[in-house]
Amino acid sequence: MAWARGAERAGWASAWASAGQTSDPSAREWEYHMHLEISRFPSLHFYENKLLDGAEVADKSASFHFHECLGPYMFFDIADGREHCGRNAATQSLCNDFEADAAIEILSFLKNRYPLEFTSSKIGIITPYRSQLSLLRSKFTSSFGPEIVAEMEINTVDGFQGREVDILLLSTVRASNSSDGSHHTGEARSIGFVADVRRMNVALTRAKLSLWIVGNARTLQINSHWNSLVCDAEERNL
């Protein structure tokens, strides 16, 4: 299985350093502008419950939040998804067609069922891998048209550092072909740099009203932090 090259990892390190983030999230109180359902997990898991929610969005709800599939915070288990190398195998970047299709299905449902709530400039789609980014842009352009896609924020997690949108969809990509993930050793390597807790933290704290995560639960649970997220989602029936 191919792993991401140092260039993608270096991009994250640069983004983190330029933002001036402390390596100890518990050293201060942090304020983000997130719905309470979104901030609940990162606050407890990363910030010792010191994460402050911006009052203007913490209790705000959208009409689509009342639909069981479009809540403020959702985890969609794409169990049949499979990761593979992108078109340029030399980059060793990964993509996942099943997750890209799921992302289109989710946002198409939002657009068709709640057209007044679908504002493309307030929607973001992020992923850790550049190959998945290219796949998402291509598929979304075919499904929604170039005008709508041009207004959306479709980027890597690294490239989205410091930005916020109302609705954010995260494609985690990793989906092992192995039934138990035993073909890799060491937790940090088992899901590549998706295991980087700082990158995970950024991805989970960029949405104001809705955060929708698409991923392969079995593969992500190889990592302790992602296992905590999946278990939390299961406990909350998300």
Side-chain angles (χ1 to χ4, degrees), residues 21-237:
Q21 304 288 4
T22 176
S23 60
D24 180 11
S26 65
R28 51 164 289 185
E29 290 184 330
W30 296 76
E31 181 174 0
Y32 287 96
H33 303 94
M34 292 182 287
H35 190 284
L36 288 171
E37 288 296 307
I38 301 173
S39 65
R40 177 175 165 179
F41 176 79
S43 181
L44 289 172
H45 194 73
F46 299 124
Y47 297 95
E48 298 181 354
N49 213 25
K50 294 181 180 180
L51 192 63
L52 303 178
D53 299 295
E56 70 275 16
V57 295
D59 296 318
K60 186 176 181 180
S61 292
S63 60
F64 56 81
H65 282 167
F66 297 98
H67 192 283
E68 62 180 358
C69 294
L70 297 175
Y73 177 67
M74 302 290 298
F75 181 87
F76 297 90
D77 183 15
I78 313 302
D80 294 332
R82 289 294 180 267
E83 64 185 55
H84 60 88
C85 288
R87 291 183 178 180
N88 185 359
T91 66
Q92 294 188 315
S93 188
L94 301 174
C95 57
N96 186 319
D97 291 88
F98 282 77
E99 288 191 13
D101 291 339
I104 290 173
E105 185 175 347
I106 293 166
L107 290 178
S108 293
F109 181 79
L110 172 68
K111 184 175 184 292
N112 294 331
R113 181 68 70 90
Y114 302 93
L116 297 180
E117 299 278 8
F118 187 92
T119 304
S120 51
S121 61
K122 296 182 179 181
I123 296 173
I125 306 159
I126 60 174
T127 180
Y129 292 95
R130 290 194 179 100
S131 286
Q132 184 73 350
L133 173 63
S134 297
L135 181 64
L136 287 165
R137 283 177 173 163
S138 175
K139 284 180 174 286
F140 268 84
T141 299
S142 297
S143 297
F144 289 89
E147 295 82 8
I148 289 179
V149 172
E151 294 181 345
M152 290 180 174
E153 182 74 46
I154 305 179
N155 213 328
T156 60
V157 174
D158 299 356
F160 207 75
Q161 169 73 21
R163 303 182 187 181
E164 293 179 329
V165 289
D166 284 357
I167 300 171
L168 184 65
L169 192 147
L170 167 64
S171 171
T172 58
V173 178
R174 301 314 299 257
S176 173
N177 292 316
S178 170
S179 61
D180 60 5
S182 60
H183 57 300
H184 293 297
T185 59
E187 182 181 85
R189 288 186 56 81
S190 61
I191 56 171
F193 60 53
V194 177
D196 188 309
V197 68
R198 296 169 299 178
R199 177 180 279 108
M200 180 183 182
N201 185 16
V202 168
L204 299 180
T205 55
R206 300 296 96 197
K208 293 190 286 186
L209 288 180
S210 295
L211 173 62
W212 300 329
I213 304 168
V214 293
N216 183 295
R218 176 180 54 78
T219 296
L220 292 174
Q221 286 183 282
I222 294 171
N223 173 266
S224 61
H225 297 293
W226 282 101
N227 179 60
S228 295
L229 182 144
V230 172
C231 290
D232 173 73
E234 291 176 345
E235 291 172 0
R236 294 160 64 182
N237 295 317

Side-chain angles (χ1 to χ4, degrees), residues 3-12 91-92 130 193:
W3 297 102
R5 296 174 68 185
E8 287 186 303
R9 287 193 290 269
W12 161 252
T91 66
Q92 294 188 315
R130 290 194 179 100
F193 60 53

